Amino acid sequence: MPPPLDIVKVAIEWPGAFPKLMEIDQKKPLSSIIKEVCDGWSLPNHENYALQHADSSMFYITEKNRNEIKNGAILRLTTSPAQNAQQLHERIQSSSMDAKLEALKDLAKHSCDVTFAQEFINLDGISFLTQMVESGTERYQKLQKIMKPCFGEMLSFTLTAFVELMDHGIVSWDMFSVAFIKKIASYVNKSSMGISVLQRSLAILESMVLNSHDLYQKVAQEITIGQLIPHLQGTDQEIQTYTIAVINALFLKAPDDKRQEMASILTQKQLRSIILTHVIRAQRAINNEMAHQLYVLQVLTFNLLEDRMMTKMDPQDQAQRDIIFELRRIAFDVESEPNNIGGNIEKRKSMYTRDYKKLGFINHVNPAMDFTQTPPGMLALDNMLYFAKHHQDAYIRIVLENSSREDKHECPFGRSSIELTKMLCEILKVGELPSETCNDFHPMFFTHDRSFEEFFCICIQLLNKTWKEMRATSEDFNKVMQVVKEQIMRALTTKPSSLDQFKSKLQNLSYTEILKIRQSERMNQEDFQSRPILELKEKIQPEILELIKQQRLNRLVEGTCFRKLNSRRRQDKFWYCRLSPNHKVLHYGDLEESPQGEVPHDSLQDKLPVADIKAVLTGKDCPHMKEKGALKQNKEVLELAFSILYDSNGQLNFIAPDKHEYCIWTDGLNALLGKDMMTELTRNDLDTLLSMEIKLRLLDLENIQIPDAPPPIPKEPSNYDFVYDCN
């Protein structure tokens, strides 16, 4: 007979004694269980003791988290959080440097636990740590030369404990003084500061900026971009990541009127070229967190265009009208027409109208009216002027080429530029806040100070080329724009490293090539609607679904590394979950870092029998998505969240690394529970495999023997002289 669901069998350790095996009744109060354990070892004052996990996390067990205890878990009897906090609070005030260092080391280790953190904070522990940073370290200034390593370690553990304590969200960031901010900023500004102290200091500054408007202003006064730049020129990617994170935070929280000013400073300090040289083109792989910070910087940089994108042109503004005059002047090489024509206003208007028509504006009489739609607003006119001035030959060629064609075959430069600018803003999501989980940055946008304008210049030439290849007329305008969008999107997915490489990718994606790709995709997705084919589909579908199910379960057996996301991404912990080969148990456990391959079952501490799973929830129905907090409201995170509910009101919460893994896991878990797999990935796989299977069965294979084993791989050729590298 299986044991009752409320009974958990565990081992409990106590220093100097043999571990005790016992059954914990989850219905009994935790204090009663602790008293029972203490009585077994004849320990008085059971209220001074607590249970904690014996693994590296050492988290205390409370009434809130006791349901997470699994059968076979190893626990440890230890001093209560309140007593431990009190002892550490006293130890960090020791006059002995060695004792103080050990105490701070223990404090940094214990501060990860929210139960301990609450008790330490109740003793005004954070205020004491800030006082140590502000003034306490001053006592040891004279000792720094003699005991520099010790001083650096002490400061590192102090800041680590502070970061961990604040990360629990118990205390408001607004409580900190200017003196504390100045001290933290001074650690960032010192070139000789140790790596760990610098990391913690940058993390603290980032959190201050993101969590408090008042602190943003104070931090902005203490830290300049010029002081942060040298940290990007080093070789430590962690420091570079923290530095870009601080720059992003300052950028994100800056008032609208300050952002353009800050962008100018970033340009003056050559931030882009420094990042390109020392981060993107450095001889090492870019990790996920760095990719995320580069993505955020890319988004924030493009968002500077939002103001112009949403600004309508004022037809009465002479300065804005002069830009249109300048476009006309460059295209047709005309100077000071009013003097040449004299007072013949009608003739001048007629000439202007003719030229504006050649330039491809919709409103030939008053082209300013073309820029009253937002988006793209004035941004389109800015792009046109940039193209005309910086790529003058290409601009003149496009305008003159089209003005010499028949009216119906001309590619209207003005209208095309406006619609293209709008499209590029949609592709790059100009005006949208950066996602919490995305790391989709494009290296090519870090290769030029005016990358958006250069991006436009390449794409407007592509549009004109595609228009000619399609032999389009004015009625085909929307079709051409769709093809151009497809060309741009396909080229971007290859992540070109430079704008020139992007341009060459587009050269290979001509209209003819796009037609071939579309034809190929159409053939692959071809849906036969005749009755015999539909009957064959119906017959085959269960086999295909079973194949997809097995693939999903095999992927669950391989396992996946998940993140435990919080408000500070770089402090995230990793955990791994995988299905046992017999499909009966889910193994999971925390990891110190992201694994390079599969994690063995025996290294994962926790287990969840599949038979105990009651339901799988997704999105906003998940318990961890109902919590308050900025991260929890993020749409992207919401779409990647799912939870497993099991016996005794237990829950296992997930945030998938990407949409593909989300589909794999939700499909696999539903398959384990005997439910339908409903994700978009399953639908796509089903369509693809059904189409392939039907085509195979419809092949004329009479008298053709299909071998059971694949043909042998031929020997390698004696040389590779026949290989030609197209790149």
Side-chain angles (χ1 to χ4, degrees):
M1 184 176 176
L5 295 174
D6 295 316
I7 301 298
V8 184
K9 294 182 178 181
V10 298
I12 300 178
E13 298 176 342
W14 173 250
F18 286 108
K20 186 189 293 285
L21 297 175
M22 68 178 294
E23 294 182 348
I24 291 179
D25 186 348
Q26 293 284 35
K27 290 181 179 178
K28 287 174 66 175
L30 195 57
S31 56
S32 301
I33 295 169
I34 293 170
K35 184 177 186 305
E36 184 181 337
V37 174
C38 289
D39 290 346
W41 276 312
S42 303
L43 299 172
N45 303 323
H46 73 276
E47 61 275 4
N48 292 333
Y49 294 92
L51 291 173
Q52 67 179 181
H53 291 281
D55 58 20
S56 57
S57 71
M58 296 199 307
F59 286 165
Y60 281 101
I61 291 163
T62 64
E63 291 291 353
K64 285 185 178 179
N65 64 21
R66 62 185 296 176
N67 285 329
E68 295 176 12
I69 302 173
K70 304 294 185 297
N71 276 311
I74 301 175
L75 309 181
R76 181 185 295 126
L77 185 67
T78 185
T79 52
S80 67
Q83 193 171 13
N84 194 8
Q86 182 65 50
Q87 289 171 358
L88 277 171
H89 194 271
E90 292 169 2
R91 286 171 58 200
I92 60 176
Q93 300 178 58
S94 170
S95 57
S96 164
M97 289 284 281
D98 289 338
K100 196 182 191 79
L101 180 61
E102 284 303 313
L104 287 168
K105 192 182 294 186
D106 289 343
L107 178 62
K109 186 167 59 177
H110 285 92
S111 295
C112 302
D113 183 85
V114 67
T115 312
F116 169 85
Q118 184 69 69
E119 296 293 344
F120 189 77
I121 290 168
N122 290 343
L123 297 172
D124 213 16
I126 286 185
S127 296
F128 184 77
L129 291 178
T130 55
Q131 286 167 19
M132 283 179 63
V133 173
E134 287 173 31
S135 58
T137 52
E138 298 294 340
R139 302 175 200 164
Y140 306 107
Q141 291 294 322
K142 295 178 182 178
L143 297 172
Q144 278 193 55
K145 291 182 180 178
I146 313 169
M147 308 182 68
K148 192 171 182 181
C150 181
F151 174 80
E153 275 191 277
M154 187 181 297
L155 185 56
S156 172
F157 288 127
T158 303
L159 295 179
T160 301
F162 175 84
V163 168
E164 294 293 351
L165 290 168
M166 289 303 298
D167 206 34
H168 296 298
I170 299 168
V171 178
S172 169
W173 282 93
D174 288 309
M175 64 177 280
F176 300 110
S177 66
V178 174
F180 179 71
I181 297 169
K182 284 179 179 291
K183 202 71 182 175
I184 296 297
S186 72
Y187 299 145
V188 173
N189 296 336
K190 284 181 185 174
S191 58
S192 59
M193 193 52 67
I195 295 292
S196 59
V197 172
L198 185 55
Q199 280 184 354
R200 307 303 186 275
S201 300
L202 287 166
I204 291 168
L205 291 177
E206 184 203 3
S207 295
M208 284 179 170
V209 172
L210 292 176
N211 289 287
S212 168
H213 178 68
D214 290 340
L215 287 184
Y216 154 73
Q217 294 176 320
K218 292 171 184 174
V219 171
Q221 290 171 359
E222 297 298 326
I223 291 287
T224 65
I225 300 300
Q227 291 163 333
L228 292 170
I229 292 291
H231 300 311
L232 291 172
Q233 295 172 316
T235 56
D236 189 297
Q237 191 170 113
E238 284 294 312
I239 293 296
Q240 291 174 326
T241 304
Y242 280 90
T243 303
I244 297 176
V246 173
I247 293 171
N248 286 340
L250 290 167
F251 219 142
L252 189 63
K253 292 298 178 179
D256 293 341
D257 58 328
K258 291 282 185 185
R259 279 186 193 159
Q260 290 291 352
E261 183 183 324
M262 188 175 171
S264 300
I265 295 170
L266 294 177
T267 304
Q268 290 169 14
K269 298 294 182 183
Q270 298 184 319
L271 176 72
R272 177 199 57 75
S273 60
I274 289 169
I275 288 175
L276 183 67
T277 304
H278 296 279
V279 178
I280 296 174
R281 291 182 177 170
Q283 298 300 312
R284 61 174 179 269
I286 293 176
N287 62 34
N288 286 339
E289 183 52 37
M290 174 60 86
H292 173 73
Q293 293 302 339
L294 291 172
Y295 153 78
V296 172
L297 182 60
Q298 173 185 293
V299 171
L300 294 176
T301 304
F302 285 142
N303 281 357
L304 294 169
L305 304 168
E306 184 183 12
D307 183 50
R308 294 293 283 173
M309 181 181 79
M310 300 308 293
T311 300
K312 294 181 179 181
M313 185 170 183
D314 181 1
Q316 307 306 317
D317 188 318
Q318 188 58 42
Q320 294 179 0
R321 290 168 63 86
D322 285 346
I323 298 175
I324 297 177
F325 291 150
E326 181 68 4
L327 288 172
R328 176 176 173 268
R329 184 195 69 75
I330 296 171
F332 304 112
D333 194 24
V334 289
E335 299 286 351
S336 58
E337 293 85 346
N339 295 332
N340 298 337
I341 299 172
N344 193 337
I345 297 172
E346 289 301 320
K347 188 174 180 182
R348 193 187 319 152
K349 281 185 177 178
S350 173
M351 185 172 65
Y352 281 177
T353 301
R354 184 197 67 214
D355 288 349
Y356 291 147
K357 182 175 182 296
K358 288 180 180 178
L359 280 170
F361 290 113
I362 297 172
N363 192 318
H364 305 153
V365 178
N366 185 7
M369 300 303 295
D370 287 15
F371 301 95
T372 55
Q373 179 191 357
T374 58
M378 287 296 292
L379 184 60
L381 189 58
D382 295 343
N383 283 339
M384 292 167 72
L385 183 63
Y386 181 91
F387 181 51
K389 284 189 170 182
H390 293 84
H391 300 270
Q392 194 166 316
D393 291 345
Y395 167 69
I396 293 170
R397 188 184 70 251
I398 287 175
V399 172
L400 295 183
E401 256 184 26
N402 287 294
S403 61
S404 63
R405 290 182 190 154
E406 293 180 53
D407 284 355
K408 67 174 185 176
H409 281 293
E410 68 177 3
C411 176
F413 174 73
R415 183 186 175 192
S416 299
S417 298
I418 292 167
E419 289 301 319
L420 179 63
T421 301
K422 183 179 177 182
M423 180 201 292
L424 297 183
C425 288
E426 289 172 358
I427 290 172
L428 298 177
K429 300 181 179 178
V430 174
E432 294 185 21
L433 286 174
S435 159
E436 286 284 348
T437 56
C438 185
N439 52 18
D440 185 27
F441 82 97
H442 292 277
M444 74 177 192
F445 291 129
F446 289 86
T447 62
H448 202 286
D449 286 330
R450 304 287 294 275
S451 59
F452 183 80
E453 289 88 344
E454 289 292 327
F455 186 41
F456 168 84
C457 293
I458 293 170
C459 294
I460 193 68
Q461 292 177 75
L462 167 73
L463 193 154
N464 190 63
K465 173 175 170 282
T466 302
W467 185 282
K468 288 189 289 186
E469 290 173 349
M470 292 177 68
R471 299 179 183 177
T473 63
S474 52
E475 288 83 11
D476 299 321
F477 186 85
N478 290 334
K479 291 180 182 176
V480 175
M481 294 305 294
Q482 288 172 5
V483 173
V484 169
K485 184 173 184 178
E486 186 173 346
Q487 289 170 314
I488 294 169
M489 295 298 289
R490 287 185 183 277
L492 283 177
T493 54
T494 64
K495 292 292 179 71
S497 59
S498 67
L499 289 163
D500 285 339
Q501 197 176 90
F502 173 69
K503 198 171 182 178
S504 67
K505 296 282 184 187
L506 290 175
Q507 291 291 335
N508 297 328
L509 284 169
S510 63
Y511 176 57
T512 307
E513 186 62 27
I514 290 293
L515 285 180
K516 287 179 183 176
I517 293 170
R518 285 181 173 180
Q519 179 67 19
S520 173
E521 289 177 351
R522 195 178 297 118
M523 287 177 67
N524 290 336
Q525 296 169 3
E526 197 172 26
D527 190 12
F528 302 103
Q529 296 299 326
S530 64
R531 187 175 171 183
I533 298 296
L534 291 175
E535 288 177 358
L536 181 58
K537 264 190 177 183
E538 197 174 326
K539 182 180 178 182
I540 296 172
Q541 187 162 315
E543 299 174 25
I544 302 297
L545 281 172
E546 182 61 28
L547 184 66
I548 295 171
K549 175 183 172 182
Q550 290 305 318
Q551 187 271 341
R552 300 293 191 265
L553 294 177
N554 289 341
R555 281 287 290 105
L556 264 61
V557 170
E558 290 175 18
T560 302
C561 179
F562 297 93
R563 281 177 178 268
K564 290 183 176 180
L565 283 179
N566 57 24
S567 58
R568 285 188 307 103
R569 290 173 53 102
R570 281 163 314 293
Q571 296 299 321
D572 295 349
K573 302 293 187 290
F574 296 95
W575 68 289
Y576 200 88
C577 187
R578 63 181 298 179
L579 182 65
S580 62
N582 63 6
H583 300 174
K584 291 186 177 180
V585 179
L586 282 173
H587 298 263
Y588 62 96
D590 293 340
L591 302 174
E592 292 299 322
E593 57 184 4
S594 182
Q596 297 303 312
E598 289 185 23
V599 177
H601 293 98
D602 51 12
S603 66
L604 301 173
Q605 309 91 340
D606 301 309
K607 297 179 182 179
L608 172 61
V610 172
D612 291 350
I613 298 176
K614 298 299 181 189
V616 176
L617 303 179
T618 59
K620 62 184 179 181
D621 295 327
C622 298
H624 59 315
M625 290 294 109
K626 294 179 181 177
E627 300 170 19
K628 292 183 179 179
L631 178 66
K632 307 306 179 192
Q633 306 304 321
N634 187 281
K635 183 184 175 186
E636 286 80 5
V637 174
L638 205 63
E639 291 176 349
L640 299 176
F642 60 99
S643 297
I644 294 174
L645 302 186
Y646 55 91
D647 288 344
S648 305
N649 299 319
Q651 61 193 44
L652 198 57
N653 298 318
F654 299 76
I655 296 176
D658 52 49
K659 193 67 179 176
H660 183 266
E661 287 297 318
Y662 169 85
C663 294
I664 290 289
W665 274 85
T666 50
D667 279 343
L669 291 170
N670 280 322
L672 284 173
L673 299 179
K675 296 181 180 179
D676 291 337
M677 299 178 291
M678 304 296 291
T679 67
E680 185 181 349
L681 182 64
T682 292
R683 289 195 295 273
N684 292 340
D685 287 350
L686 181 61
D687 289 344
T688 302
L689 293 171
L690 264 178
S691 175
M692 289 171 61
E693 186 65 23
I694 285 173
K695 286 174 182 176
L696 282 172
R697 296 198 181 194
L698 292 177
L699 286 174
D700 185 8
L701 298 177
E702 190 175 352
N703 298 324
I704 297 176
Q705 187 174 0
I706 300 175
D708 294 328
I713 299 172
K715 292 180 180 179
E716 288 192 20
S718 57
N719 63 66
Y720 289 88
D721 295 343
F722 56 88
V723 174
Y724 178 72
D725 188 356
C726 298
N727 297 323

